[in-house]
Amino acid sequence: MLKTTPAGFWTNYQNGSIESKINDQGPWGGNSEFHWKSNSANVFSTKEILDFAIKNGYQLTDSLVYKRKSIKPFTNYNDKDYSYRLLETFLNKADFTENYVFVFKTGWIAVEPGNERETNKNGFVIINLNRKEFTVYHLWGE
């Protein structure tokens, strides 16, 4: 299911709890990043979030537990997989500690700039272990 604004449907998910939104779209690509936060634990249900993503056209392809700066032991990705690079870059820049990570095919592709590598696994949902906050990251184009 192709959307006119990549990942735009996420603004409809518990929009009162959205702490920040970045939606940078251009003619050759862009990225969306949304962050939800609550003061209480267990507010965000993993099942509910995954069901919402799937209902809106995301296809779950992988899941893992991420511990700070250590992704390789938890996934079958390798350095040649562009999806791995996208996820590694995002997790490191956001300074995540320990979280559940879900990887999705989104109906869009991401192409590494200046390279032929591409991936259709370019949507990520990161939920912290106490379920007080979560982030969606989607990169598309070049």
Side-chain angles (χ1 to χ4, degrees), residues 71-83:
I71 189 173
K72 281 187 181 182
F74 301 103
T75 182
N76 58 6
Y77 293 138
N78 62 52
D79 292 351
K80 293 183 169 75
D81 188 328
Y82 186 45
S83 186

Side-chain angles (χ1 to χ4, degrees), residues 4 22 40 44 60 81 85 89-90 112 117 121:
T4 56
I22 298 171
S40 303
F44 301 111
L60 184 64
D81 188 328
R85 283 282 170 232
T89 299
F90 178 67
E112 186 174 27
R117 288 195 302 183
K121 297 180 291 184

Side-chain angles (χ1 to χ4, degrees), residues 4 9 18 48 54 57-58 72-73 77 80 86-87 94 109 120:
T4 56
F9 66 87
I18 296 176
E48 188 178 286
I54 291 165
Y58 275 27
K72 281 187 181 182
Y77 293 138
K80 293 183 169 75
L86 294 175
L87 180 57
I109 64 166
N120 58 7

Side-chain angles (χ1 to χ4, degrees), residues 81-130:
D81 188 328
Y82 186 45
S83 186
Y84 168 85
R85 283 282 170 232
L86 294 175
L87 180 57
E88 179 182 56
T89 299
F90 178 67
L91 288 170
N92 286 337
K93 88 171 177 131
D95 196 32
F96 286 101
T97 53
E98 190 170 3
N99 298 267
Y100 301 110
V101 177
F102 301 92
V103 181
F104 295 89
K105 287 183 181 178
T106 64
W108 297 79
I109 64 166
V111 180
E112 186 174 27
N115 198 313
E116 300 273 327
R117 288 195 302 183
E118 65 179 47
T119 183
N120 58 7
K121 297 180 291 184
N122 57 336
F124 307 97
V125 173
I126 299 97
I127 306 170
N128 71 347
L129 297 183
N130 66 10

